[in-house]
Amino acid sequence: MKDQHKHIDDVFHEKVYDYSTPPPGNVWDDIEKSLAKSKKKKVAFLYFKIAAGFIFLAGMTALYTKYINNQNPGNTTSIIAKKTEIENERQNDNLVQKNTSHNQTSIPGNKSTSQQLTVNNNYSSSKKETDAVPAYVIGQSNEIYESTAIATSEKQKLNIISRVEPSIIYASESKINIKNSPVSNKPALPDSQDDLFDELIAQNDTKKNRDLVWSIGGQAGPQYTYRKITNTDQTAMNNNDFDNYDSPMLAYAGGLQIEVEPSRRLSVQSGVYYSKVGQNISSRYVNQPKNDYFPVESYASDQRAIEVVNSIGTFTFEKSNTNITSSNSKVNERISNTYYLDVSTTEEKADVLGRQYFEFIEIPLILRYKIVDQKIGVNIIGGVNTDILVNNYVGVSNSSNETIESKAGNLKTFNYSGTVGFGFEYPVSKKVMFSIEPFFKYYISPIDKKSVANAHPYMIGIMTGLNYSF
Amino acid sequence: MTSEIDHIIEGCRKKEPKAQHMLYEYFSSRMYGVCLRYSNSSADAQDTLHEGFLKIFEKISQYGSRGSFEGWIRRIMVNTALEKFRGKYKTVDIQENLKEADSVINDELNENLAVQELLKMIDELSPQYKMVFNLFAIEGYSHKEISEMLKITEGTSKSNLSRARAILQEKVKIYYKESIRTVTAI
């Protein structure tokens, strides 16, 4: 009888590969406990995200409310009333001088035939000097009418003036149009009060300079784009393979921006941008050893398309383009039913070049803080972006320079990224600012729904642009 | 059976505890067998099994549905064992100039070799030899892949494999006294 022999590797493989034995019962109990803990952590993180969202919304609401309060015409009523009050104090001062023998003063000619006019005669007619309050009514066109002017003491006048905020005075300056005033010339306030009034106006002029400044503009520039693989457990694929196959790609971005400056140093920017990001997915000879081929997740003769596992999304090639059969020497079985695909349509040796890119519409929310406030300003930049995927493309060239095209699947439409950078700006004219901004942008979560790699695209680029302020 | 597994996988994707338990029941014995081969003790193997299943439940949405699910689970277990190995041992890059021995075992002996004995022989190898032999001979990884997994050179992987084979041959020889024949290849 002839001896039959087997290699020692095969002996071990055949007997040991499928060896199974039940684990102790406590293993599942421990797994259950760990799963429960993980669930609690996820819930806690969800609450944290919700809380952060509320804080952000509250902050934005506060900023918005502050802005609205600065701009709201409704406040003009009280502003104008107060301003008129001051003017009236001046007028009353004259009246007091003229009517020293009377505690009550009526103002001649203060009634109008206009239907807009409403007069509060009842209120002031019986008042005495010490508690008198003048009443004013604003017409539909911000015209102001006074019904009564009552003299007050010098002390009261000073108090009234000092209570009025500079911004209030300024805001009312252009809107006041006093009709039927008995005294049209500038009142003769004492010098000290004139000085105080001028000072308040001067302060208000300073305030005017700090009012919200808006600007619009455009930016564009090149960006170096790639992705970071964050899956470290190397489950279905060895991540080193992806890093060996892929390489960075040069792309570009640009868009329109709108910016508001709540203060001289701080600005908030949004807008609409276009951004193209991607990667070169391969560059090699088709007939090199199998490890250099694309890994294919599965293959069956009745399938029409070949699914290729990729670092960003999964994409397919139609079978007619892939020259793949079970007997084709370009398809090699690895282990555990993983195959390698040569996407070239010919048997010739040639470079196979692949390219994958994504196009996004981006809505940024960027903060800029000016750290150098000179002619050439320097800003630090930080913010978040909502990135809406509008197109994705995969193309691989074969030896005949034909491009086989495909699309990656399982990508998220809405993505979020963070931006940090520096900005240098130079005033081209009084209203126009030129800027150069080197930046780094990183996608906060993987852009694919289901991937073995968990790829986060990132970009390093330089944006240049012009801004027009108004 | 395929549809039953698909059903369980779908349930696991939805994080259903019942489906997770069913998946564990379905694969735990085979995976524990894998873990035992890569571990120094049953406690280590249980830890690996525990961590491996947590990863499976966490990453199951990444499974593409087309390849072998058991293959995917197995890779997770092997990679988990590798991570533990890398955390515990520092791999050594030593290439010995060994003669490549092409070891064979005749069928009669092969039939008499019990699985438990083979597992014990593998377990008695040094950690790095055990890892290389398991990955190459049992799992079917290439030396290039092993070198990337263990962060060693391909030469070291080949050298470790040769040494592991030689030791295993010797153990088989001692165990059965004779009936092994070694053919030395040039």
Side-chain angles (χ1 to χ4, degrees), chain A residues 319-350:
Chain A
K319 195 175 175 184
S320 58
N321 287 331
T322 53
N323 198 25
I324 182 168
T325 67
S326 57
S327 60
N328 190 319
S329 62
K330 291 185 177 180
V331 180
N332 295 282
E333 187 171 3
R334 189 193 193 190
I335 54 166
S336 305
N337 299 321
T338 300
Y339 295 83
Y340 290 86
L341 164 68
D342 167 17
V343 295
S344 170
T345 57
T346 72
E347 296 286 328
E348 300 297 322
K349 288 182 181 178

Side-chain angles (χ1 to χ4, degrees), chain A residues 268-286:
Chain A
V268 183
Q269 180 227 314
S270 188
V272 181
Y273 280 68
Y274 164 86
S275 178
K276 187 174 182 179
V277 305
Q279 59 178 349
N280 298 314
I281 53 176
S282 176
S283 178
R284 61 193 178 278
Y285 286 97
V286 295

Side-chain angles (χ1 to χ4, degrees), chain B residues 21-113:
Chain B
H21 193 200
M22 285 172 77
L23 189 82
Y24 176 82
E25 289 294 321
Y26 197 86
F27 288 107
S28 61
S29 295
R30 269 171 283 179
M31 293 309 120
Y32 188 51
V34 173
C35 295
L36 279 171
R37 268 193 295 113
Y38 286 91
S39 306
N40 287 333
S41 64
S42 59
D44 273 354
Q46 288 166 33
D47 278 352
T48 306
L49 189 72
H50 178 134
E51 286 178 32
F53 266 102
L54 288 180
K55 283 181 188 173
I56 289 162
F57 295 142
E58 189 188 344
K59 307 283 182 187
I60 199 161
S61 59
Q62 296 174 2
Y63 169 64
S65 300
R66 288 194 178 182
S68 157
F69 183 66
E70 184 171 345
W72 184 75
I73 285 188
R74 197 181 182 94
R75 280 198 297 279
I76 289 178
M77 288 298 168
V78 170
N79 283 319
T80 306
L82 273 173
E83 283 166 18
K84 289 175 84 71
F85 171 81
R86 284 196 292 256
K88 198 180 282 185
Y89 303 102
K90 191 174 178 182
T91 51
V92 184
D93 250 339
I94 297 174
Q95 293 182 36
E96 297 170 284
N97 293 320
L98 294 173
K99 270 188 176 178
E100 183 61 39
D102 192 7
S103 308
V104 294
I105 297 175
N106 68 43
D107 275 357
E108 190 183 344
L109 273 180
N110 184 18
E111 284 168 14
N112 290 325
L113 276 169

